[in-house]
Amino acid sequence: MVTSKKGSALTLVMHASVLFLVILWTIPTAGLFISSIRDKDQLSVSGWWTALATSEQRLVERALDPTHQQFEDGRWVIKGNLLPESDGEIVRFGVSSLEPEAYAVGELVDRKDKQIQVFANGDYTISSDQEMSGRRGDRIFFTAEIPPRFTLDNYREVLSSEGLGQSFINSLTVTIPATIIPILIAAFAAYALAWMKFPGRALLIAGVVGLLVVPLQMSLIPLLKTYNLVGEFFGVGSKTYVGIWLAHTGFGLPLAVYLLRNYIAGLPGEIIESARVDGASDFDIFRKIILPLSFPALASFAIFQFLWVWNDLLVAMVFLGNNEEHLVLTGRLRELLGSRGGNWEILTASAFITIIVPLCVFFGLQRYLVRGLLAGSVK
């Protein structure tokens, strides 16, 4: 009875922990999505958690120029609206940047030889006894309460940007080989380190573990210089796909070898010994036994490697550069942000566009991952 109560309590704690982690990851994602479909003006003044509330914005618009004036009831009048595309409501207005909220809506303001009046719905009138002149209209400062607005314009701006399709293809060209190559090499190396006897195997395993702690940023420039020297010797130009494939392979191999070696070493030794007794070579054992049983580990690393390479910007900038021919998707989206990176509407919409492919890969490999686990347990 006591054991049953302890088990129930442990299950409850586990479920609560999982729920907490789900909420912890879901809230930022939901906030990112909400921000991506908000109006850019509202996004710049309030957080995503206020998306359903009315936002207060301080705006400035220029009235129509004197060419639009009409003569009505003995006065020259210019009429217009400050909120032509909004259902908002103006609460205060002003005619000077020093006092942008000096007057209440509906109040008649004298300015030089003119009278200015602004109403809550955005309508305004500028009237004068004499015919108005000039090339530009008066500036009107106002504070408006704008209801929540949701739009897909942010996505349209990102998807319609020039060169986005080519950058998408470039990212696939980089990511797919940079995921497959390290898996192939690491699978062979992991089998050798797990089941083949040769001198120095323990040192190689220790070296692989040591490479896991080497910072990527520290090795970028030396690796690029080495690649350029080798490329000059063999006549291969720099800033090519081959260079970034090799770079991602090198950066991903330590983790791949470590994960796969630990998984393969845990496979039943009786199966491998029986295969050797039957006359199977190491290559046959690897191809017919190890690979099918190791598919869950291969799928797991494929997910990690694909996500890391797809979202990479630093390595792509170093080994491919910023030229239009090889610019990857993350580089293209970085350029859309502008020099100061303040276009939050572009950033949030770009984030959801870039996660479409990784999500498809994750859910696709997750299905095969479960299938591989079941197949491995049956065998």
Side-chain angles (χ1 to χ4, degrees), residues 161-164 166-167 170 313 317 323-325 327-337:
S161 61
E162 184 179 358
L164 187 70
Q166 180 62 42
S167 297
N170 293 342
L313 175 64
M317 292 296 100
N323 62 82
E324 293 291 328
E325 183 181 358
L327 190 62
V328 296
L329 186 59
T330 50
R332 178 72 60 185
L333 298 178
R334 182 204 60 181
E335 292 186 351
L336 289 177
L337 291 177

Side-chain angles (χ1 to χ4, degrees), residues 96-123:
S96 170
S97 59
L98 299 178
E99 296 178 327
E101 298 181 334
Y103 309 104
V105 292
E107 186 174 350
L108 194 62
V109 179
D110 293 320
R111 188 186 185 195
K112 298 180 180 179
D113 56 346
K114 305 175 185 177
Q115 289 183 322
I116 300 176
Q117 192 173 23
V118 177
F119 300 94
N121 64 351
D123 291 337

Side-chain angles (χ1 to χ4, degrees), residues 110-191:
D110 293 320
R111 188 186 185 195
K112 298 180 180 179
D113 56 346
K114 305 175 185 177
Q115 289 183 322
I116 300 176
Q117 192 173 23
V118 177
F119 300 94
N121 64 351
D123 291 337
Y124 66 87
T125 58
I126 302 176
S127 59
S128 176
D129 293 330
Q130 302 176 354
E131 185 176 1
M132 291 173 277
S133 61
R135 296 182 178 179
R136 306 174 69 183
D138 295 293
R139 288 195 304 170
I140 301 178
F141 301 84
F142 59 96
T143 300
E145 292 182 349
I146 308 296
R149 291 192 305 227
F150 298 98
T151 176
L152 296 177
D153 290 342
N154 302 331
Y155 287 95
R156 294 190 186 98
E157 184 175 354
V158 174
L159 293 174
S160 62
S161 61
E162 184 179 358
L164 187 70
Q166 180 62 42
S167 297
F168 183 84
I169 296 175
N170 293 342
S171 290
L172 288 178
T173 305
V174 171
T175 305
I176 293 176
T179 302
I180 295 175
I181 294 174
I183 288 178
L184 292 177
I185 299 175
F188 283 104
Y191 171 72

Side-chain angles (χ1 to χ4, degrees), residues 209-290:
V209 175
L211 288 174
L212 290 173
V213 300
V214 176
L216 179 150
Q217 295 81 0
M218 188 178 69
S219 58
L220 273 178
I221 302 304
L223 185 62
L224 179 62
K225 290 183 177 179
T226 303
Y227 171 74
N228 290 337
L229 292 175
V230 175
E232 290 178 2
F233 180 79
F234 289 101
V236 180
S238 60
K239 306 295 182 181
T240 62
Y241 287 120
V242 176
I244 195 170
W245 291 342
L246 295 177
H248 281 303
T249 299
F251 295 137
L253 269 179
L255 178 61
V257 173
Y258 179 75
L259 290 177
L260 294 178
R261 187 263 170 190
N262 290 342
Y263 186 88
I264 293 175
L267 295 176
E270 293 81 2
I271 300 177
I272 299 174
E273 294 300 330
S274 299
R276 286 176 178 169
V277 170
D278 292 338
S281 63
D282 284 318
F283 182 74
D284 291 333
I285 295 173
F286 174 78
R287 182 171 58 90
K288 297 181 180 180
I289 299 177
I290 299 299

Side-chain angles (χ1 to χ4, degrees), residues 290-331:
I290 299 299
L291 280 183
L293 293 178
S294 302
F295 191 82
L298 295 174
S300 299
F301 177 74
I303 293 174
F304 295 141
Q305 182 71 358
F306 188 96
L307 294 178
W308 187 81
V309 177
W310 179 265
N311 294 322
D312 170 70
L313 175 64
L314 178 61
V315 177
M317 292 296 100
V318 172
F319 284 88
L320 285 181
N322 292 321
N323 62 82
E324 293 291 328
E325 183 181 358
H326 296 129
L327 190 62
V328 296
L329 186 59
T330 50

